[in-house]
Amino acid sequence: MGLKSRKNASPHSRRKSENSPEGPKDYNSDFESNKDDITLPWHSLAALGIFVSVYVKCTSASIPTGDAGDFIISAHHFGVAHPPGYPLYVSLGHLWMRVFPFGSPAYKLNFLTSIIGGVAAFILYITTYRLTGFAPSAVLASSAFAFSHLTWFHSIGAEIFALNNLFCGLLLYWVIKFQRTSVESRAWVAMEASFISGLSMCNQHTSILYIGVIGLWMFISLIRDQAITGRQFMQTGITFSLGLLPYLQLPLSAYLSSSPSTWGNHKTLSGVVTHIMRNEYGSFRLHAHDRTADFAANLRLFISDMVHELGIPTALFFVFCLLTFRRFSSVKTIVYVYTGALMLYTAFFCKQANIDLTSAIFVGILERFWMQANLVISLLGGCGLWTLYSLLVKRYPNLERNIYMILSIGSVLFGARQAINNFSSCDMSNNNMMELYGRNILDGLPPNSVLLLSGDESSYSTRYLRYCTGYREDVDVIDQEMLGYPWYKETHQHSFNHFIFPYNRTFYAWYTKLARSRGQDYDTFDYKDLFDVHFQAGIPVYVFDLMDKTDEAKDKEWQDHYEVEQDDFVQEVRRKDHPQTLDTLLEKMESRKATYTRQLCDKSLYPERSWERSIAEKFCSRQLLIAPINAGLQSIPDVYGQGHLLIENRPAIIRIFKILRRAQETLTFKDGNGNDELVLGQSDYYNLGVVSWMLFKNYKRTDELLEAHKYGRVTVEQWTLFLEKSSDVEPKKQITEQIIKTLLEGVPDLLTNKDYELPF
């Protein structure tokens, strides 16, 4: 059946031919949908229900990791998120929080994001179906994408990726609509696509790479066919500008909101432009530093990640589509456009992604941006399944129904496999890790104190609790990175109860002292200024990781006068002439208020590249075992403890030993079989071994040998576990092996004699 005969056929006969299992009879003919037929098939609505239901079921219970905390705080207070501000998502979230009655602020925005993510998967389903008219292709494409771990995980928490997936899916759909619309109507379709493009630019700037390819193709097509007038061209530009209207949220927030946590000063045009253009973030780079992106390494990472996320079948059908699509005039032009957008996006991002690929957490950050490419690959994978079906039916027409059934069942089974494989790792319905993390940080602070933070996970979790739930309202939470921007004082000073800007100066800068020594007095302060004014005012200052970036690390004058000492889960800034006594330190360690759960402590529960794993590692090492060692025993020259006065302070060593022993008990959880399992790293075993070895050396008299052997046994047990977890290049490996050997040679029954077991 040729194109002319198909157009003369009735709409019912056309729809039946395109949507039935038999498919089009001439598999190399022009195959286009009826431009007036926008009825959604029943199975697409079923797909929408499945995607939304699954995502909502897995919605994060509390504040997720990543940048979610920033979006939640901004939406809750109608503030401005980090560059470029994401005004559409923040505005939608702000409205949603006002009308949705259930849950915390975090859950409300997570819930909205899950709905958006489900709709994005549905858009991919109907886009693939309209491209091919083949339901199994729609099932394959949408399930490969929606149920990949990457897409699923970032569609159930307060992140902007789900909304970006939605807009990119709509742009891909409008490519089909434009191509299959009559020439005289294409200008209006282009205006619709232009408006969608403007809205997408209010969310994530990476969509510009798809907009550029699709917009250029539409413009060339309209000019070639003489299908657009000068007036319509101007109207297309106007509709794009209308799509950008959500950016008005930035100045509106500056004048209408008193958000306690907003990024930038948007009362001036230059401030708004700076924010939108990401000048403080490095524009189109992921990091605002001079690192050069490794194109080849980024490309290899993208390909391996794509195959892992979407599955080998999707990748194979994608390749098959690229090999066969030119045989099908109905999809040829559309696939060319999709492929061009994909190639530009992949090449551009591989060239611009200048992050450290040796860091697992940074690789995890980079992977999130491959979702936009995976969207096209999934769609073309579905198209490849259709071209395979068409070629098989052309060769074996008598087996058409059997082929259809096999491919239908196969696509459904593949989607089910994707969902089953990734459900457990994407079900965040009971995950409140970030909230627990923030509470542990805040719980260690005395009343009316100031907390300086560095790092997204600690900053967002504590600021969310402080400014969205009212938890620890007596504490001023300061993001050290934002403290270094000239706009910070004006936009945040109103939200502080105790924090003092030193000498009424505006912002932090490491070069303050250097400038003063040269007779230049900028409106800045350094850490020493900051600590001085708060110490004089009697306001306790605590830090959670001082800035360790290149510039901030140059600020060292404060170290001549102050030191930071571990105090529960945070570090207290203390003057060196007001040292903390060991008894005071131990009292704090013995009375700590930390809340321990397996999801907060066990890094093995999380993928290597996840923020959750990073948090679990930091929580265990800082809170439980390394902290008291670093604070009370940091001057031990070696594991023998020679020359250290504390080795003679037996009561203090025993108290430290009990603190560490209790920490190990706290970190003992039930595994899947109901058995006790200890969640610790190699340094944790090493630290307890150090203290038990010190006690072994402390019991010197003949009548104390039994006690010495008890602690010697603990030393062997702990250091044996340390060696099991250590690499071959561990510098302390040789000396611990030597000590273990010496102990076992001196006391052969050390590990078997019940008399050498401690009662605690």
Side-chain angles (χ1 to χ4, degrees):
M1 184 182 294
L3 178 60
K4 183 176 181 180
S5 61
R6 286 182 61 79
K7 287 189 175 180
N8 292 332
S10 67
H12 175 72
S13 64
R14 283 201 306 272
R15 191 182 304 112
K16 181 177 180 180
S17 172
E18 293 171 5
N19 297 347
S20 66
E22 288 77 17
K25 297 303 180 184
D26 184 356
Y27 296 96
N28 288 317
S29 67
D30 284 309
F31 171 51
E32 59 176 329
S33 300
N34 176 16
K35 64 178 181 295
D36 298 321
D37 182 11
I38 58 174
T39 304
L40 296 177
W42 67 268
H43 49 81
S44 67
L45 298 177
L48 173 63
I50 291 172
F51 292 135
V52 172
S53 298
V54 171
Y55 279 8
V56 168
K57 165 63 180 70
C58 297
T59 298
S60 292
S62 184
I63 174 176
T65 54
D67 294 327
D70 189 26
F71 296 125
I72 295 168
I73 299 168
S74 299
H76 186 68
H77 293 283
F78 198 62
V80 177
H82 63 278
Y86 308 95
L88 182 59
Y89 184 70
V90 169
S91 299
L92 289 173
H94 182 73
L95 294 174
W96 178 260
M97 287 182 179
R98 296 298 175 268
V99 300
F100 189 68
F102 306 109
S104 64
Y107 182 76
K108 290 179 179 180
L109 193 56
N110 295 339
F111 192 94
L112 173 63
T113 307
S114 295
I115 295 176
I116 294 173
V119 174
F122 165 72
I123 295 298
L124 177 58
Y125 186 100
I126 62 174
T127 301
T128 309
Y129 185 74
R130 184 161 188 187
L131 177 67
T132 64
F134 192 52
S137 292
V139 172
L140 174 76
S142 59
S143 60
F145 181 74
F147 293 139
S148 66
H149 178 274
L150 188 63
T151 304
W152 193 343
F153 186 83
H154 291 290
S155 296
I156 55 175
E159 280 279 10
I160 46 84
F161 298 104
L163 190 57
N164 186 62
N165 294 337
L166 174 62
F167 281 126
C168 289
L170 287 173
L171 288 172
L172 298 176
Y173 182 87
W174 249 256
V175 170
I176 303 173
K177 185 176 181 180
F178 180 89
Q179 178 67 9
R180 295 180 178 172
T181 297
S182 62
V183 172
E184 58 271 16
S185 300
R186 284 183 174 179
W188 296 105
V189 176
M191 291 182 199
E192 296 169 352
S194 182
F195 180 70
I196 295 170
S197 300
L199 288 176
S200 69
M201 287 297 293
C202 295
N203 184 60
Q204 189 166 327
H205 286 177
T206 56
S207 61
I208 189 65
L209 299 171
Y210 284 6
I211 293 170
V213 173
I214 294 171
L216 180 62
W217 167 71
M218 287 185 176
F219 177 73
I220 292 175
S221 299
L222 291 170
I223 296 297
R224 180 197 61 203
D225 298 331
Q226 297 181 347
I228 188 170
T229 65
R231 181 178 180 181
Q232 288 174 324
F233 182 77
M234 293 181 61
Q235 289 173 336
T236 302
I238 292 172
T239 55
F240 179 81
S241 300
L242 291 175
L244 297 176
L245 285 178
Y247 274 115
L248 291 176
Q249 187 262 343
L250 274 64
L252 286 175
S253 171
Y255 287 100
L256 301 180
S257 170
S258 57
S259 173
S261 181
T262 196
W263 190 294
N265 186 351
H266 307 105
K267 292 184 178 181
T268 65
L269 179 60
S270 62
V272 172
V273 172
T274 295
H275 201 76
I276 294 175
M277 297 305 295
R278 291 172 54 93
N279 291 339
E280 294 169 334
Y281 250 41
S283 294
F284 281 103
R285 290 176 175 264
L286 286 183
H287 269 253
H289 52 54
D290 296 328
R291 181 189 301 274
T292 301
D294 188 333
F295 184 93
N298 285 336
L299 183 59
R300 288 193 299 269
L301 175 64
F302 164 64
I303 294 173
S304 64
D305 184 80
M306 179 269 291
V307 174
H308 174 73
E309 291 291 338
L310 303 181
I312 295 177
T314 307
L316 292 176
F317 285 126
F318 165 69
V319 174
F320 190 78
C321 173
L322 297 181
L323 295 175
T324 60
F325 77 93
R326 288 180 294 275
R327 302 185 188 184
F328 300 86
S329 58
S330 62
V331 302
K332 182 177 178 180
T333 301
I334 297 171
V335 174
Y336 269 128
V337 175
Y338 289 167
T339 306
L342 175 64
M343 291 176 63
L344 176 63
Y345 182 85
T346 305
F348 182 88
F349 225 87
C350 288
K351 181 66 173 65
Q352 294 298 111
N354 60 331
I355 66 171
D356 180 8
L357 296 181
T358 63
S359 168
I361 193 66
F362 283 151
V363 172
I365 293 173
L366 174 60
E367 285 179 329
R368 302 179 302 174
F369 294 91
W370 296 134
M371 271 184 280
Q372 187 169 321
N374 287 349
L375 186 72
V376 175
I377 293 172
S378 299
L379 198 164
L380 294 181
C383 184
L385 180 64
W386 172 72
T387 61
L388 174 65
Y389 167 72
S390 299
L391 294 173
L392 288 174
V393 171
K394 181 182 179 181
R395 183 168 184 140
Y396 307 104
N398 295 332
L399 299 177
E400 179 179 352
R401 184 173 294 276
N402 293 334
I403 295 172
Y404 180 86
M405 291 302 297
I406 291 173
L407 295 182
S408 297
I409 293 172
S411 63
V412 171
L413 290 178
F414 171 78
R417 180 179 177 275
Q418 278 278 90
I420 292 171
N421 286 349
N422 293 317
F423 179 82
S424 60
S425 63
C426 292
D427 184 8
M428 298 289 108
S429 57
N430 294 314
N431 188 349
N432 61 345
M433 181 190 204
M434 279 282 281
E435 183 170 335
L436 284 174
Y437 188 64
R439 288 180 183 273
N440 274 285
I441 295 174
L442 293 174
D443 284 345
L445 299 172
N448 305 319
S449 55
V450 169
L451 174 63
L452 302 177
L453 294 155
S454 177
D456 289 349
E457 65 270 26
S458 58
S459 178
Y460 291 149
S461 61
T462 52
R463 285 161 57 199
Y464 165 74
L465 289 167
R466 170 68 175 83
Y467 298 121
C468 293
T469 70
Y471 191 75
R472 290 306 304 267
E473 291 183 329
D474 61 305
V475 175
D476 285 344
V477 180
I478 314 296
D479 186 306
Q480 293 180 69
E481 182 176 2
M482 297 174 75
L483 190 63
Y485 288 103
W487 43 259
Y488 186 72
K489 179 180 179 181
E490 180 179 350
T491 57
H492 288 73
Q493 190 172 25
H494 68 276
S495 63
F496 300 142
N497 298 318
H498 316 292
F499 182 75
I500 303 171
F501 283 87
Y503 317 118
N504 206 31
R505 294 175 178 268
T506 302
F507 64 102
Y508 166 83
W510 67 270
Y511 52 77
T512 298
K513 181 182 178 183
L514 178 63
R516 291 174 186 167
S517 68
R518 296 175 177 176
Q520 300 167 320
D521 192 8
Y522 297 112
D523 192 18
T524 62
F525 55 86
D526 57 19
Y527 281 137
K528 182 180 181 298
D529 295 333
L530 185 66
F531 298 154
D532 281 346
V533 295
H534 287 87
F535 186 81
Q536 293 165 8
I539 301 172
V541 177
Y542 289 78
V543 298
F544 191 86
D545 291 340
L546 282 175
M547 276 287 201
D548 58 359
K549 294 184 178 180
T550 302
D551 284 346
E552 284 78 357
K554 299 175 183 176
D555 181 5
K556 296 188 179 295
E557 185 187 6
W558 67 272
Q559 298 179 25
D560 296 332
H561 307 274
Y562 296 91
E563 59 186 354
V564 291
E565 294 184 349
Q566 195 69 35
D567 186 356
D568 208 5
F569 197 29
V570 293
Q571 295 169 305
E572 182 181 8
V573 179
R574 302 182 62 87
R575 287 188 61 91
K576 286 189 173 182
D577 54 4
H578 290 70
Q580 182 173 225
T581 66
L582 180 61
D583 284 341
T584 302
L585 169 67
L586 295 178
E587 287 174 4
K588 291 179 178 179
M589 303 306 295
E590 290 166 340
S591 61
R592 60 174 48 156
K593 305 174 183 177
T595 303
Y596 311 111
T597 65
R598 181 156 201 162
Q599 72 170 243
L600 188 56
C601 301
D602 190 355
K603 65 181 182 182
S604 67
L605 297 177
Y606 308 105
E608 183 181 4
R609 297 171 180 174
S610 66
W611 283 106
E612 286 82 359
R613 186 182 184 92
S614 174
I615 291 173
E617 289 174 344
K618 182 175 288 187
F619 183 86
C620 287
S621 64
R622 177 186 295 273
Q623 170 67 7
L624 298 173
L625 301 182
I626 294 179
I629 289 295
N630 286 346
L633 309 176
Q634 59 186 356
S635 58
I636 299 177
D638 54 52
V639 292
Y640 291 100
Q642 296 172 350
H644 192 270
L645 295 178
L646 186 60
I647 199 170
E648 304 299 333
N649 189 345
R650 184 185 299 178
I653 307 176
I654 292 177
R655 290 174 69 183
I656 294 174
F657 180 89
K658 290 182 177 180
I659 290 171
L660 301 187
R661 193 73 159 186
R662 185 187 65 183
Q664 287 200 355
E665 294 173 357
T666 304
L667 283 180
T668 302
F669 302 98
K670 297 294 183 182
D671 62 16
N673 299 320
N675 301 318
D676 288 342
E677 182 180 358
L678 194 60
V679 181
L680 291 174
Q682 65 182 58
S683 58
D684 306 318
Y685 295 114
Y686 175 78
N687 289 334
L688 186 53
V690 169
V691 180
S692 57
W693 174 250
M694 291 174 65
L695 284 169
F696 173 81
K697 299 288 289 182
N698 188 272
Y699 288 92
K700 299 176 180 178
R701 299 197 312 267
T702 303
D703 59 342
E704 295 178 329
L705 286 180
L706 180 60
E707 292 298 314
H709 290 169
K710 290 180 180 180
Y711 289 104
R713 176 174 183 154
V714 176
T715 302
V716 173
E717 292 173 345
Q718 294 297 312
W719 279 350
T720 299
L721 292 169
F722 161 72
L723 293 173
E724 290 176 358
K725 291 180 173 287
S726 300
S727 64
D728 293 336
V729 296
E730 168 59 52
K732 297 186 286 290
K733 187 172 184 177
Q734 184 176 356
I735 193 170
T736 50
E737 288 177 337
Q738 177 184 345
I739 294 174
I740 290 174
K741 180 180 178 181
T742 302
L743 279 171
L744 293 179
E745 288 176 351
V747 189
D749 63 342
L750 188 65
L751 298 179
T752 57
N753 193 331
K754 296 286 186 181
D755 292 334
Y756 299 154
E757 290 184 352
L758 285 168
F760 53 85

